[in-house]
Amino acid sequence: LGVVPMVRDLQVQEEDGMSLERERLHASKGQLTAAVIRLPRISNFDDFDPLVRAGVSVRYVQDPAEVRSAHIVLIPGTKHTIADLRWMKSRGLDTAIRDAAHHGVTVIGICGGYQMLGTKLDDPDGADGGEPDHEEGLGLLPISTIFRDEKVTRRVRFRVTTPNTKFALRGNTVGTGYEIHTGETTVSRQGEASPMLEIDRGDGVPVADGTVSATGNVAGCYVHGLFDAPNVLEPLLRTVAEHNGIEPPQVKPFSMDAEYDRLADVVRSSLDMDAVYRMINVRR
């Protein structure tokens, strides 16, 4: 049928866990660094690809010392939130993350990472890990999560609602993303935080999602793909860089659709597509 060649610098989404070693970059002097906690059951880590494309030194870390030296700390999604939270505690990463937050470092959790930032996680029916369970969270956001059997999977549109803070989100910034999680998260102490986003799940009824701490440097939400929006990523990186006396990274236009089109063009030009279509019984 033909041979598909290596496509250099192709920036399509990776399979889970396949390419994390490639992302273990080492920061150079004067470069903005982000430490992504390398959870054992990490998922959806392509959330942070836009930071790599912008020139941020993104490191996937398991050492508390690497957390303390980063300008941004990111807690990703996970296939088993409570188990990975306990793993973090066993390595002292929980203490390192809290110390970083208390020293003004920007800490952001997405999905399971967002749940970990709260005060407690309850799993009465074993929806997260198979058996009823409970664990105290990092306590950096006044939220609590209870896991349910139903898994949420849907695309959403979001609008930033939080005022300008150290997190540097611009109010009324809009974008698209998706939810894929179990668990319902609620704010347990009103007045100590503000909603981060307003999301539309396709029914035209906006609902609040995510939380920003009163200090403004700790935030989290359920929306994957948040950083794909340049008007979310650019002010975040610029604010953190300026706070640390570093030249801000440049967020350039990027289209994932264009990358997949480029791959499709290479495949189409390399294979006998008429034969492929005959094999799968598709008429052109």
Side-chain angles (χ1 to χ4, degrees):
L1 295 174
V3 177
V4 179
M6 174 76 172
V7 184
R8 299 290 178 183
D9 302 320
L10 188 66
Q11 298 184 64
V12 297
Q13 292 163 317
E14 300 281 358
E15 293 289 340
D16 270 3
M18 291 293 288
S19 63
L20 289 186
E21 293 304 316
R22 174 176 60 82
E23 306 296 355
R24 287 181 176 272
L25 307 177
H26 297 283
S28 59
K29 185 176 180 180
Q31 190 175 25
L32 194 66
T33 62
V36 180
I37 306 302
R38 176 59 167 98
L39 302 171
R41 301 161 187 85
I42 191 171
S43 65
N44 304 93
F45 59 86
D46 56 312
D47 278 331
F48 311 116
D49 286 353
L51 282 77
V52 177
R53 291 194 292 267
V56 177
S57 178
V58 176
R59 305 178 306 202
Y60 286 79
V61 308
Q62 297 184 332
D63 185 342
E66 292 186 276
V67 171
R68 297 187 180 98
S69 64
H71 302 118
I72 304 172
V73 177
L74 301 162
I75 310 177
T78 166
K79 301 178 183 71
H80 192 338
T81 305
I82 290 178
D84 277 358
L85 176 57
R86 287 177 177 149
W87 172 86
M88 284 172 52
K89 292 179 178 180
S90 73
R91 301 183 70 93
L93 287 163
D94 59 326
T95 300
I97 293 170
R98 279 193 291 265
D99 288 347
H102 293 151
H103 284 87
V105 173
T106 297
V107 178
I108 304 170
I110 303 294
C111 199
Y114 171 44
Q115 295 168 338
M116 293 180 188
L117 289 172
T119 57
K120 61 180 181 178
L121 298 89
D122 288 308
D123 186 15
D125 302 319
D128 180 56
E131 298 289 339
D133 210 346
H134 167 83
E135 186 68 23
E136 297 298 315
L138 300 180
L140 292 173
L141 290 176
I143 59 173
S144 59
T145 297
I146 184 167
F147 294 96
R148 303 294 188 189
D149 287 332
E150 181 183 1
K151 188 168 188 176
V152 175
T153 54
R154 57 194 163 205
R155 291 190 60 82
V156 299
R157 292 186 58 82
F158 68 80
R159 182 176 69 86
V160 176
T161 55
T162 187
N164 281 336
T165 64
K166 292 179 182 177
F167 186 52
L169 282 175
R170 291 174 178 159
N172 289 319
T173 294
V174 298
T176 60
Y178 64 95
E179 293 179 87
I180 177 168
H181 64 90
T182 57
E184 299 173 0
T185 298
T186 57
V187 177
S188 51
R189 297 191 302 275
Q190 298 290 339
E192 296 185 20
S194 59
M196 179 175 166
L197 306 172
E198 187 178 76
I199 62 174
D200 180 350
R201 293 167 171 161
D203 56 6
V205 179
V207 296
D209 180 75
T211 308
V212 179
S213 67
T215 57
N217 65 310
V218 180
C221 69
Y222 276 118
V223 177
H224 295 283
L226 180 71
F227 301 128
D228 288 337
N231 50 2
V232 170
L233 185 61
E234 188 276 332
L236 167 65
L237 298 183
R238 174 169 42 78
T239 301
V240 175
E242 290 175 352
H243 176 74
N244 289 278
I246 299 171
E247 186 70 21
Q250 298 299 311
V251 179
K252 299 177 181 178
F254 175 78
S255 169
M256 185 64 72
D257 285 344
E259 290 296 293
Y260 279 112
D261 286 343
R262 184 158 70 99
L263 176 59
D265 289 342
V266 172
V267 171
R268 188 177 293 110
S269 64
S270 304
L271 301 183
D272 182 348
M273 293 304 299
D274 289 334
V276 172
Y277 287 130
R278 287 195 299 272
M279 291 169 64
I280 60 177
N281 197 28
V282 172
R283 293 187 178 182
R284 298 181 64 180

